Every structure is written in structure tokens, then in C-alpha cells.
Amino acid sequence: MKRLKLAAIGCGARAQTYLSLAAQMPQKYEIVAAADPVPERVEKIKALADNPDFRGYSSAAAILAGDKLADVMIIATQDRFHFEPCKLAMEKGYDILLEKPISPDLSEVHQLQKITRQLQRRVVVCHVLRYTEFYGKVKEIIDSGVLGNIITLNASEGVLPWHQAHSYVRGHWANVEKGSPMIVAKSSHDMDIIHWLIGERCTAISSFGALTYFTPENAPAGAPERCTDGCPIGDHCMYNAKLYAGVHRHEWLSLIYDRARAASDEEVYQWLKTGPWGRCVYRCDNTAVDHQVVSMQFKGNITATFTMTAFEHERHLDIFGTEGILKSGKFYKDQTGADIIVTRHDSGEVTRYRLDSSDDLNDGHYGGDKGLMTALYDEMNKTDTGEMHTSLSSSVHGHEMAFAAEKARLENRVVQLQQMKRSPSSMRIIKLSERNRAPKCEY
Ligand SMILES: NC(=O)c1ccc[n+]([C@@H]2O[C@H](COP(=O)([O-])OP(=O)(O)OC[C@H]3O[C@@H](n4cnc5c(N)ncnc54)[C@H](O)[C@@H]3O)[C@@H](O)[C@H]2O)c1
């Protein structure tokens, strides 16, 4: 078995996750090179690679300037820096593992789709949820016919209050102008999954949502700009940044602070005094919505809804078919112990599915990160790119849905999906006003 050579552009949280999984599969992968302006991050990948010939670079430009070094280039830079390195790497002859979102600009998504076809490159998009046992089982149940034809699907994503604060209030994706709109940044996963499960193209979308809670008006009396400035309610605030040194050190601080494991509490507090993650959650420059609903119509008059909210835990999914109902998600799991429950309309027969991976639900996107890296080898060896599970082409429609939902929300109207193909330039994300409020209702 010929090993697949992997290189990476961007050695932050995601690349470290994928490459530490690759390092556990040495029969499949060899890590040969990585680029990042932060030398410690390149060193982390070098340690994972355990390869005397490993080559480190300080930027995407540097790694792409020389000869092709690997079979697959992992593009794990921030959202607004996916297009250029992905395009250049394809031109250099690399196949690509590309982080989602493909780009925060839909015209760039379509350009990459065109280049992929022209150059006949394999591009796998990191839609990790499709590689989970959970969504794989849901798809298998749908395909078995036990639900009959899908008529309606309701999905929700509970981001969790702390996750919202970490990523979308203080963090990388808080400010839409610097990252991507929430529905693209976070919920492009969900748009992709909904499209994949229904198996038809979406025809029309409407959406509402706003930034309602993480705003200055909701700041407690006397709360200073930073949690390290002696906040009067700090001891009782669930968003206190000092929790990064405690309960949130392992899962969250490690994503953003290279010395998270070794640092003393005092070192973390000093770091919080100047960085974005030390700010009071009610006093940030965030524009990302903290709740959004989307309603969708698919070919064949199938309907679906999606709710993203900071104030729910985990994902839920209900599917209503002509022959049966499927219900799943944390609430049902907590109540019944089952991951998925299917009820037939005719007999009332109930089937409960408990999945092998259900104890790792919080681990690496419900096991999707590992599922992706396990599958990547075979995906990159498929001769027919149309057979690839999360190829760029198969991922574009989910992105079009996400951009259409954002357009519908901002313009307060129903958006026809056909429009997203016809005038992609209109989908450059519209400059938002100071705060990303819901549009005013006219009646
Ligand atoms: N698939 C998923 O479920 C999932 C989950 C989280 C994040 N993401 C996406 O993954 C991407 C990376 O997220 P992350 O959390 O790892 O971000 P990160 O900020 O931890 O990592 C990005 C890295 O890119 C590096 N970088 C910046 N400029 C560079 C350049 N010119 N050349 C090379 N490297 C450069 C940065 O120094 C940083 O280390 C984002 O697009 C994000 O939206 C996907």
C-alpha cells in the first residue's frame, strides 16, 4: 500500500487535529511538510510527523513556491484565506483537503469548483459530520425506505452558550466582516447535511435571525471591558474569561493558546488582559447572530426547517416520512438512551438505535474528524471523483443554501436558489451595519 503524503498550510487547531489523527494511521499517511507564520505550530506538526525529512515553512507562499512536496495539501487557514492557497496548490498539482467554509464569498466557491473540474483535482471538503456513525446511520435508515418518502425535516443546532461566546462573540468568527456569516461559518455543516439527507436540490429559502443577547445593553451593572479588570459579578458569570485557566483550559484554551497545557493560571490571566478572549462577552465587536431560523423548500415540495441558537445543547433531527418518523438528538438520548428512534405509522412499531460511538459524541465532532481522516485515503484514491463523499462539487449546493439563507435574512425576503448560480457577485456578503440586528418589520 503506497502511503499518501500529506502537507498542510495553516497549522492551527484544525490542522493539528487532522494531522494527529493521520499520525495514528502510519500505514496510510506520511506527514512531509507544513507552513505557518507561527513557528511553534510548525514545530507541533513536525513532532507529530516523526519524519527526518519533514520540511517546515513560514507561509503559504513559501511552501507553494517550490516543487510539489506531497499528494495532498491540507488547507486549514482561516475562512478568508482558503481561496488563494487552494487555487495555487491545485495549480501546483496537489489534491486538497479543504476546511469549510470553502470561502466566505460564493463567487470564489464557484471559481474553485470550476478550477477543480478543469484541472481534474480531487478536493475533499471537511464536512466532517457526513463521516460520523450517527449521520451515516440516519442516511442508511432513509435509504432503507422504512420512513417512506421524506415530506418534512426539522433540524437544529444548539451551539451552547460557552461555545458561542468563545467562537462567535470573542473569537475568530465573531465579526462577520473578518470571518463568515454564522450560517456559513458554523451551519454550512447543517445545510450540507440537510441537502445530503433529503437528496434533492433546495429551491427556495427564507430566514430570520439576529444578534440579540451578546450586546452592551445586556452587560451587568458595573461590568468592566475585561473579566481581568475586577468584574463585580465575575464569580457568578458563566462567561468569565478566567474560566479559561480552569474548567475551559483543556477543551477551549488549547484551541487558541499554544502554551495552554503548560501555562500557570497567572500566565493565562496575563494573556487574557490584552487578547480578544479576555473581553466581557457583552462588550465585544461581534456581529455574528446568536440565533437564526431557516425555512427551506426542496424539489418535490419537500420542506425543511433549521434552527441555530446559542442557547441549546447539541444537534437534533426529526424526519417525517410517508411511512414513518425518525427522531434523534441529545434530548431523546438523555430521555431514552437511544441515539435514533424510528416509529412506523402503520404498526406503531418503534425501533431504537444505540450507536457504538455514542459515548464519544462530544469528541471530535461526534467522531467525524476521525471518520474523515480514516476515509481520506480511499477518497483520494478513487478514480471517479463523482464517487467522492464530500467532494467540492457535492459540497457547493449546501454552501449555496447557506449564502441564500443569509441573503434572505438580511433582505427580509424569500430567495430562489436559482438566483445563487445566476448572479454570484450579488452574494458577496453585504456590509452589515454596526450590529447585525434583525431587519425592521414593516407592519
Ligand atoms: N470542519 C470543521 O468542523 C471546522 C471546525 C472548526 C473550524 N473549521 C475551519 O477550519 C479553518 C481553520 O480553523 P482553526 O480553528 O484551525 O484556525 P486557527 O486560527 O487555529 O489556524 C489557522 C492557522 O493559519 C495560520 N496562517 C495564517 N496565515 C497563514 C499563511 N499565510 N500561511 C500559512 N498559515 C497561515 C495561522 O497562523 C493559524 O495557525 C477555518 O476556516 C475554520 O472555519 C472547520
Side-chain angles (χ1 to χ4, degrees), residues 291-353:
H291 60 118
Q292 181 165 358
V293 295
V294 182
S295 64
M296 293 155 267
Q297 179 175 266
F298 288 78
K299 195 169 163 234
N301 285 330
I302 299 164
T303 52
T305 64
F306 171 69
T307 300
M308 180 291 295
T309 174
F311 305 104
E312 162 67 306
H313 298 202
E314 311 287 342
R315 287 181 164 89
H316 290 82
L317 177 67
D318 297 340
I319 303 177
F320 306 100
T322 51
E323 304 280 325
I325 301 167
L326 179 150
K327 288 188 174 268
S328 59
K330 183 174 164 38
F331 179 81
Y332 301 112
K333 179 73 192 288
D334 290 349
Q335 301 301 315
T336 69
D339 294 284
I340 302 169
I341 304 165
V342 171
T343 309
R344 291 274 307 172
H345 293 310
D346 50 5
S347 60
E349 187 189 352
V350 177
T351 310
R352 294 185 174 83
Y353 298 84

Side-chain angles (χ1 to χ4, degrees), residues 9-15 18 35-38 41 58-61 75-79 81-82 99-101 126-128 172-173 185 189 255 365 369:
I9 293 176
C11 302
R14 296 306 297 161
Y18 295 132
D36 199 296
V38 182
R41 296 185 189 162
S58 61
S59 70
I75 309 284
T77 39
Q78 276 300 338
D79 301 6
F81 192 50
H82 286 180
E99 256 309 353
K100 50 106 305 236
C126 298
H127 276 140
V128 290
H172 294 306
W173 304 279
H189 274 311
L255 296 176
H365 292 103
D369 294 346

Side-chain angles (χ1 to χ4, degrees), residues 363-434:
D363 190 29
H365 292 103
Y366 312 86
D369 294 346
K370 189 170 179 195
L372 168 65
M373 287 313 290
T374 305
L376 185 70
Y377 184 89
D378 290 336
E379 290 295 297
M380 288 299 182
N381 280 303
K382 282 182 178 161
T383 40
D384 179 359
T385 52
E387 299 273 296
M388 287 166 66
H389 197 35
T390 56
S391 67
L392 189 131
S393 285
S394 75
S395 303
V396 165
H397 191 60
H399 274 58
E400 288 170 349
M401 288 163 58
F403 282 95
E406 187 63 353
K407 190 176 177 69
R409 184 183 76 83
L410 291 172
E411 298 178 6
N412 205 12
R413 68 183 180 87
V414 176
V415 170
Q416 304 297 322
L417 262 285
Q418 259 183 340
Q419 239 186 300
M420 309 309 291
K421 281 273 183 225
R422 234 184 282 135
S423 58
S425 58
S426 71
M427 270 324 296
R428 229 164 239 120
I429 283 308
I430 301 139
K431 283 268 172 227
L432 303 177
S433 56
E434 190 195 349

